[in-house]
Amino acid sequence: MSSRGRPRNFSREEALASAMRLFWDKGYDNTSLTDLTQAMGLKPPSLYAAFGSKAQLFIEAVDLYGRTDGAGIWDELETAPTAKAAVHDLLRRTAENFTRGGEPRGCMVVLSAPQMAGGDPEVCDALKVHRLEKQVALERRFERGVADGDLPEGTPCAAIAAYVASLQHGMSIEARDGATRETLLAIADCAAAGWDAMVAASIKPN
């Protein structure tokens, strides 16, 4: 049975997509319940019946982002022939994804709720988990690179994973500030150009 106030043609996925774009564009804190109900075409009781709370709606919206607009960036991480190629591909895909026309620019996971202090703990913790999952994926890829002989023994995989993740987060902020695709692609190319020297410099002598 449909909840009171829910439109007869209610599509949960379409309503969630509307919420995703609103959160992505305005951020979690700046998106009001009125903003959400207007964008989703729902009355407050129906919104809560369908999604539980604003925080739970946001978390579902972030998951949707990962399956849709945020998808594709990480596709070649495991299949690229070397760690360097994997990072270069990741960052170039990032540049292209973050500058697609007609969408909020940058990464929803990075930009939609950046402040931990005073923020909703449920939201902040969920975003932190998403970010750390990607960083761990990078670390594991680099560990495989060491095992395959692609990266030298002693490569600090965790530190380099944090570096690449931080670089990607910075590209998100650049995109939100209006950086062009060419600028972001240049950042990706600079990271690739300096990769070998960066890896060598990061290895501490015994």
Side-chain angles (χ1 to χ4, degrees), residues 59-199:
I59 292 168
E60 281 201 49
V62 170
D63 289 339
L64 178 63
Y65 169 80
R67 300 193 309 270
T68 55
D69 296 82
I73 294 176
W74 297 81
D75 283 357
E76 299 297 321
L77 182 66
E78 295 298 330
T79 57
T82 65
K84 177 180 178 179
V87 169
H88 195 196
D89 179 82
L90 168 69
L91 295 179
R92 288 187 67 85
R93 286 172 181 265
T94 295
E96 292 166 358
N97 181 280
F98 287 180
T99 55
R100 288 195 300 225
E103 298 175 355
R105 297 163 65 89
C107 174
M108 180 182 181
V109 176
V110 173
L111 296 172
S112 55
Q115 301 300 328
M116 295 288 287
D120 186 306
E122 186 178 5
V123 166
C124 292
D125 289 346
L127 290 176
K128 183 177 179 180
V129 167
H130 277 280
R131 292 191 290 265
L132 289 179
E133 283 177 350
K134 297 304 186 184
Q135 188 167 318
V136 168
L138 284 166
E139 183 178 353
R140 289 176 177 167
R141 178 64 182 84
F142 299 154
E143 288 172 347
R144 197 186 93 202
V146 173
D148 292 344
D150 167 40
L151 292 173
E153 290 290 338
T155 297
C157 297
I160 294 178
Y163 158 74
V164 174
S166 297
L167 186 59
Q168 189 187 42
H169 295 171
M171 291 172 70
S172 187
I173 295 171
E174 290 283 339
R176 178 55 63 89
D177 286 347
T180 64
R181 177 170 295 185
E182 289 71 21
T183 295
L184 297 185
L185 287 171
I187 292 172
D189 292 344
C190 285
W195 177 261
D196 294 334
M198 183 272 295
V199 170

